[in-house]
C-alpha cells in the first residue's frame, strides 16, 4: 500500500436487515452499499454522485464507522479501522471528520458556538486550558467567523454562517480526511460559492482530503479531482474529473450528465430519459443492476455482473459494452 493514499476502500458492503412479525425476525436485507472500492490521494477531493438512495451517504458513514460495515476493508492513513474496537477507535477519530447536510439540525441549539467548536477539542485534549480559547478563536477566524460569535447560539445565524460553524467544528480537530455530505445543498447559490471557495482554500492550506457527496454536478465539477458515479449501491464509473465530464462511458453516467443544464439558449440539450423505476435495493436485479433501465441492454447484462474495465488515465467503467 502506498502512503500517498489517505483513504482506501476495498469491497465495502453495508446491508440493513428488514424486520417483520411480532418477533421481529429478519426476513431480508437492504443492499445499501454492495461491494464498492476506491482510493483517495492526499490533498485530493473525490466527488461521489448518483441518484437519491444509491448509497452515497451510507458509504461516508461506513468509512467513518458512524455505522459499522457489513464487510470489506477501510484504511485511513494505512490503518484498517473496520475491526477496531471502540477504545482503539477513539484516538483515531480526530483524524477523520464529517460535515453534515443540514447545518442547523447538526448543531446543538443549547450550546454557544465556542462550545460547539471546542467540545471535541476538550474531549481529545488537543490543547492545554491556557491555549484553548485562542485556539478556538483562530479556527473561527480561519472559517470566516467573527470573534464575538463565540458566545452566540445557532439560531442567531444564517444558513451559510451555520455551515461555517460546522466546518470549524470539523477543522478544530486538525483532521486529515473529511466526509462532506452535501454541505451546500441547503444553501442559496451565492452562499454555496462562498462555502465551496472556503473549503478549497482550507484544503490548500492544510492539505485536507475530501470525500464530497453531492447531487449538484456543477458543484462537483468545480471542487472535485476524481469522480465516482454510483447506482443502486455499486460504483459504475470512476475517473479524473476531466475524463468523466468530457467522455462519460457508462449509460447511467451519460443519462445523469445529460440532465445538467447549460447556460446557453442556443445549445440544444440531448437529454437521455431513463424509463422505468429504480429497482428496490432489498431485491436488486441479477447481472448488471442498471439493465432494467438501460437502452443498450444485452442478454448477458441480465445474467452476468460486469467487471471493472480500465479505459486508461485512471478512467474505470463497469459495463459489458466495454468488455
Amino acid at each position: 500500500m502506498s502512503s500517498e493514499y489517505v483513504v482506501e476502500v476495498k469491497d465495502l458492503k453495508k446491508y440493513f436487515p428488514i424486520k417483520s412479525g411480532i418477533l421481529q425476525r429478519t426476513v431480508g436485507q437492504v443492499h445499501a452499499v454492495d461491494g464498492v472500492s476506491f482510493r483517495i490521494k492526499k490533498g485530493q477531493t473525490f466527488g461521489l454522485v448518483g441518484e437519491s438512495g444509491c448509497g452515497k451517504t451510507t458509504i461516508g458513514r461506513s468509512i467513518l464507522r458512524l455505522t459499522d460495515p457489513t464487510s470489506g476493508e477501510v484504511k485511513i492513513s494505512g490503518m484498517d479501522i473496520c475491526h477496531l474496537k471502540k477504545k482503539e477507535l477513539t484516538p483515531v477519530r480526530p483524524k477523520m471528520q464529517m460535515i453534515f447536510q443540514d447545518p442547523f439540525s447538526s448543531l446543538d441549539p443549547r450550546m454557544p458556538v465556542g462550545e460547539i467548536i471546542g467540545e471535541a477539542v476538550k474531549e481529545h485534549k488537543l490543547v492545554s486550558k491556557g491555549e484553548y480559547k485562542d485556539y478556538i478563536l483562530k479556527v473561527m477566524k480561519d472559517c470566516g467567523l467573527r470573534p464575538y460569535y463565540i458566545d452566540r447560539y445557532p439560531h442567531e445565524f444564517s444558513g451559510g454562517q451555520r455551515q461555517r460553524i460546522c466546518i470549524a467544528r470539523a477543522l478544530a480537530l486538525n483532521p486529515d480526511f473529511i466526509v462532506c455530505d452535501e454541505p451546500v445543498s441547503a444553501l442559496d447559490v451565492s452562499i454555496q460559492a462562498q462555502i465551496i471557495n472556503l473549503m478549497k482554500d482550507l484544503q490548500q492550506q492544510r492539505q485536507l482530503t475530501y470525500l464530497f457527496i453531492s447531487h449538484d454536478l456543477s458543484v462537483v465539477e468545480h471542487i472535485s479531482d476524481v469522480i465516482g458515479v454510483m447506482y443502486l449501491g455499486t460504483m459504475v464509473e470512476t475517473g479524473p474529473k476531466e475524463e468523466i465530464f468530457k467522455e462519460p462511458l457508462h449509460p447511467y453516467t451519460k443519462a445523469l450528465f445529460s440532465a445538467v443544464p447549460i447556460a446557453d439558449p442556443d445549445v440544444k440539450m440531448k437529454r437521455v430519459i431513463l424509463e422505468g423505476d429504480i429497482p428496490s435495493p432489498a431485491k436488486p436485479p441479477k447481472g448488471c443492476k442498471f439493465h432494467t433501465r438501460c437502452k443498450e441492454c444485452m442478454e448477458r447484462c441480465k445474467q452476468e455482473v460486469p467487471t471493472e474495465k480500465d479505459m486508461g488515465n485512471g478512467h474505470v467503467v463497469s459495463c459489458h459494452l466495454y468488455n
Side-chain angles (χ1 to χ4, degrees):
M1 184 194 60
S2 174
S3 60
E4 66 176 325
Y5 292 102
V6 173
V7 180
E8 290 190 294
V9 179
K10 184 178 180 182
D11 199 26
L12 181 67
K13 296 182 180 180
K14 177 60 184 177
Y15 299 160
F16 293 99
I18 301 172
K19 305 285 187 178
S20 182
I22 297 175
L23 300 177
Q24 288 295 288
R25 290 175 176 166
T26 301
V27 296
Q29 290 181 321
V30 175
H31 296 223
V33 180
D34 200 6
V36 169
S37 301
F38 61 91
R39 300 185 295 181
I40 312 176
K41 290 183 178 180
K42 182 177 179 63
Q44 276 194 341
T45 299
F46 188 96
L48 197 58
V49 300
E51 293 172 300
S52 295
C54 70
K56 304 186 299 296
T57 297
T58 305
I59 283 182
R61 295 179 67 88
S62 297
I63 290 174
L64 300 185
R65 286 285 302 275
L66 296 180
T67 180
D68 289 328
T70 303
S71 65
E73 189 177 86
V74 177
K75 290 184 178 180
I76 306 292
S77 299
M79 180 183 292
D80 187 354
I81 67 167
C82 278
H83 306 293
L84 294 182
K85 295 179 181 179
K86 187 176 180 180
K87 288 185 179 179
E88 297 171 325
L89 194 60
T90 299
V92 185
R93 289 282 186 201
K95 293 301 179 183
M96 48 184 191
Q97 292 296 304
M98 188 167 189
I99 301 171
F100 296 93
Q101 180 175 357
D102 188 344
F104 188 69
S105 62
S106 61
L107 299 175
D108 190 336
R110 300 178 183 179
M111 293 175 67
V113 169
E115 288 186 28
I116 289 173
I117 297 172
E119 184 180 22
V121 175
K122 285 182 179 178
E123 178 68 25
H124 291 281
K125 300 177 181 178
L126 295 185
V127 295
S128 65
K129 290 184 179 179
E131 299 172 329
Y132 173 77
K133 187 171 182 180
D134 289 338
Y135 180 77
I136 298 303
L137 289 172
K138 181 182 182 304
V139 173
M140 290 176 62
K141 181 181 178 182
D142 289 345
C143 295
L145 296 168
R146 302 291 178 86
Y148 57 85
Y149 290 171
I150 196 167
D151 295 319
R152 293 189 176 181
Y153 290 83
H155 72 271
E156 300 179 64
F157 297 94
S158 65
Q161 289 172 320
R162 289 175 196 155
Q163 198 58 287
R164 288 177 185 269
I165 296 168
C166 294
I167 294 171
R169 177 176 59 184
L171 208 66
L173 292 168
N174 196 26
D176 295 325
F177 171 60
I178 301 179
V179 174
C180 310
D181 186 10
E182 303 198 41
V184 296
S185 63
L187 308 177
D188 294 337
V189 175
S190 59
I191 306 300
Q192 283 185 10
Q194 294 177 20
I195 298 299
I196 291 296
N197 290 333
L198 171 64
M199 292 177 68
K200 292 190 74 173
D201 291 342
L202 292 171
Q203 184 177 35
Q204 291 177 356
Q205 293 167 14
R206 298 177 177 240
Q207 280 296 293
L208 296 170
T209 304
Y210 292 146
L211 173 63
F212 194 90
I213 300 168
S214 181
H215 286 100
D216 193 332
L217 293 173
S218 59
V219 170
V220 171
E221 183 180 15
H222 180 66
I223 196 173
S224 300
D225 300 298
V226 181
I227 292 177
V229 182
M230 282 194 68
Y231 180 79
L232 208 64
T234 57
M235 197 80 76
V236 298
E237 188 170 357
T238 58
K241 172 183 66 178
E242 295 80 9
E243 292 277 338
I244 293 283
F245 275 88
K246 181 181 177 181
E247 190 178 0
L249 299 176
H250 197 281
Y252 175 67
T253 310
K254 293 177 182 178
L256 200 66
F257 283 23
S258 73
V260 179
I262 298 175
D264 187 343
D266 298 324
V267 175
K268 292 185 178 180
M269 297 289 292
K270 295 181 180 179
R271 180 71 191 275
V272 179
I273 306 296
L274 295 178
E275 297 179 357
D277 297 325
I278 303 175
S280 169
K283 292 183 179 180
K286 293 181 180 180
C288 176
K289 293 184 178 181
F290 186 61
H291 83 261
T292 58
R293 306 171 73 194
C294 182
K295 292 182 179 179
E296 301 180 63
C297 175
M298 301 177 289
E299 192 60 35
R300 68 181 299 195
C301 299
K302 301 176 183 179
Q303 304 297 330
E304 300 177 29
V305 177
T307 56
E308 291 186 345
K309 176 70 173 177
D310 191 343
M311 307 300 291
N313 297 323
H315 195 165
V316 179
V317 62
S318 297
C319 182
H320 288 305
L321 292 172
Y322 305 96
N323 287 342

